[in-house]
Amino acid sequence: MRFRHADGTAVHLSYCTNVHPAETLDGITAQLSAYAEPVRRATGAPVIGLGLWLPVDAASALAADPAAVTRLRRELTVRGLETVTLNGFPYKGFHAPVVKRAVYYPDWSEPARLDYTLNLARVLAGLLPDDAARGSVSTLPLAWRTAWSRTQAAAAMRQFDALAAGLRRVEAETGRTIRVAVEPEPGCVAETTEQAVEVLGNVDHERIGLCLDTCHLAVAHEDPDTAVARLLTAGLQVVKVQASSALEAADPNDPRVREALAAFAEPRFLHQTREAAPNGGELLGSDDLGPALAGALPGEAPWRIHYHVPLHEEPAPPLASTSPVLRDTLRTLFGGAHAVTDHIEVETYTWSVLPEEGRPVGGAGLARGIAAELDWTARELTALGLRTTTPAPTDTRTDTPTATATGRATSAAATAQKEPGS
């Protein structure tokens, strides 16, 4: 789905395919017919965006085979799908029986993380629609916070320097601009936007910026206006926003609330929990919901839990979601005279681990749920004054716009789109 902000910025809305478990190229291609195409049909849109998740082996194979990238792009195009953003946070095994802290490895002190991210950038340069101004790749906020040493921090900064140089090479070779977006997350080295500003102060701000995940923002009890202003003042671009809602419990000591929360304490993903601090002090935190329920948090103030819940419907009472934070973030980013970013990715990856009564039934049920989330987000954007637009027709034989005689129409179309915030 595409939208046009009043300032002329083209805004792309996608859903993230890390909700699907495949980790091979064949499996990823099969997802397009099994899930993504039904999602598009359910929305009624001629084209929808996919925020592809390409695990390390698939990314490596594609980066080494430009013809395979061309084939994947064609598979997207013929189904009314397009990709401007990749989720480079999970490295592999995101649907293993137990993921938890494994998702944070390799971290940004390790060469494997740099190699993976640059492979993603190379692949995305080949997948971008011809009229897209730029691509984005989101990544983890350096590392999980425990055992993070000064030596590792210094290594990470060297890696970011190499990342920026690699992204410049990709642009020189392909003519496509790819930016990497560091995604603050509770429990990590950069948990908040304030910490992100501290650790990313010396990176190349033209190539490396922030991914604002609105679930994470809510769990950290950050105010969207304040957070975005902090980033822009520091010169950090909001490269991408992940539209997501956290789980919220107003009275964690209420037995009914605790019973409802227990159904969300599941073994696959980490569900960092933060308790609002009394009198404006520091937040209280637990690294997972299970320990929080077992007494790691006092439960004397509301909890926000890192559990991505569907955007379009509230959890059953007595629980709630942080959808007001999501709405406020969208207003902050798109409700002003200038768009602050141009990539939005709906990222509810937890459908399969929701309490049983909330899980979709089969692939068709999942497709309907994702489509409902995209429709919800589209309504929020149009309420802020954005207009829906349609991409130029594409010749699926060559993967180029039909108005283009030969080659890829990158330069004129890309430069015609405004830089967010300009």
Side-chain angles (χ1 to χ4, degrees):
M1 292 177 167
R2 294 194 190 187
F3 300 82
R4 182 76 61 181
H5 190 274
D7 72 352
T9 299
V11 177
H12 298 261
L13 172 62
S14 308
Y15 89 86
C16 185
T17 66
N18 66 355
V19 66
H20 308 312
E23 299 210 12
T24 66
L25 286 177
D26 287 345
I28 290 164
T29 301
Q31 291 172 356
L32 307 182
S33 296
Y35 300 108
E37 199 171 0
V39 169
R40 182 189 62 75
R41 289 197 297 267
T43 66
V47 177
I48 66 167
L50 297 187
L52 283 177
W53 174 53
L54 300 175
V56 59
D57 291 342
S60 177
L62 284 166
D65 186 356
V69 176
T70 299
R71 289 193 296 272
L72 178 57
R73 188 171 189 257
R74 185 177 297 115
E75 294 288 347
L76 292 163
T77 301
V78 298
R79 291 173 173 81
L81 310 170
E82 64 180 13
T83 293
V84 300
T85 188
L86 302 181
N87 189 329
F89 197 129
Y91 187 75
K92 64 179 180 179
F94 194 58
H95 287 267
V98 178
V99 178
K100 299 294 184 181
R101 295 187 190 180
V103 77
Y104 307 107
Y105 298 95
D107 62 40
W108 266 105
S109 70
E110 300 176 67
R113 177 60 64 173
L114 172 63
D115 294 343
Y116 172 53
T117 307
L118 285 175
N119 278 340
L120 291 176
R122 295 182 188 103
V123 172
L124 183 55
L127 294 178
L128 278 180
D130 293 280
D131 60 346
R134 61 193 66 83
S136 62
V137 178
S138 49
T139 189
L140 76 163
L142 278 71
W144 186 252
R145 71 185 187 284
T146 56
W148 183 247
S149 67
R150 291 184 179 180
T151 299
Q152 289 170 299
M157 292 303 102
R158 292 192 296 271
Q159 298 258 83
F160 278 123
D161 288 343
L163 172 65
L167 295 174
R168 287 193 291 271
R169 286 194 298 274
V170 169
E171 182 166 354
E173 293 166 0
T174 68
R176 312 314 303 267
T177 299
I178 309 296
R179 301 187 297 194
V180 169
V182 173
E183 180 186 335
E185 176 168 316
C188 293
V189 172
E191 174 166 333
T192 64
T193 56
E194 184 176 8
Q195 291 170 343
V197 166
E198 291 175 3
V199 300
L200 298 177
N202 295 322
V203 304
D204 180 345
H205 290 177
E206 182 181 357
R207 308 283 172 177
I208 302 168
L210 259 284
C211 170
L212 277 185
D213 183 305
T214 56
C215 168
H216 303 173
L217 197 72
V219 173
H221 291 256
E222 291 201 71
D223 171 70
D225 280 344
T226 303
V228 171
R230 176 183 294 118
L231 297 174
L232 299 182
T233 299
L236 280 170
Q237 301 177 74
V238 181
V239 171
K240 169 179 176 178
V241 60
Q242 285 180 325
S244 55
S245 289
L247 189 65
E248 186 166 47
D251 183 5
N253 277 338
D254 183 323
R256 296 181 307 119
V257 171
R258 298 183 78 82
E259 181 180 2
L261 284 175
F264 287 86
E266 54 83 28
R268 178 174 295 163
F269 300 117
L270 204 60
H271 300 297
Q272 302 93 310
T273 304
R274 298 292 182 267
E275 180 169 330
N279 304 318
E282 291 188 8
L283 296 177
L284 304 177
S286 170
D287 285 341
D288 210 348
L289 177 57
L293 289 169
L297 294 178
E300 296 171 354
W303 286 1
R304 288 178 175 176
I305 299 123
H306 177 216
Y307 199 120
H308 292 218
V309 293
L311 305 187
H312 61 289
E313 57 188 14
E314 285 291 303
L319 303 180
S321 81
T322 59
S323 59
V325 177
L326 170 55
R327 284 193 171 97
D328 285 349
T329 306
L330 294 176
R331 175 188 52 76
T332 299
L333 295 173
F334 301 106
H338 299 286
V340 178
T341 188
D342 55 354
H343 291 178
I344 310 170
E345 180 182 65
V346 170
E347 200 215 7
T348 305
Y349 58 83
T350 50
W351 287 95
S352 64
V353 296
L354 288 170
E356 191 168 351
E357 65 274 11
R359 293 177 197 170
V361 178
L366 177 60
R368 287 193 298 270
I370 295 169
E373 291 191 298
L374 288 171
D375 286 340
W376 183 94
T377 310
R379 289 193 299 272
E380 294 295 319
L381 294 174
T382 54
L384 291 169
L386 280 71
R387 296 182 295 107
T388 57
T389 62
T390 303
T394 297
D395 184 338
T396 57
R397 294 168 299 173
T398 59
D399 294 333
T400 59
T402 54
T404 303
T406 57
R408 300 185 67 187
T410 57
S411 57
T415 55
Q417 297 193 51
K418 292 177 67 65
E419 180 78 19
S422 62

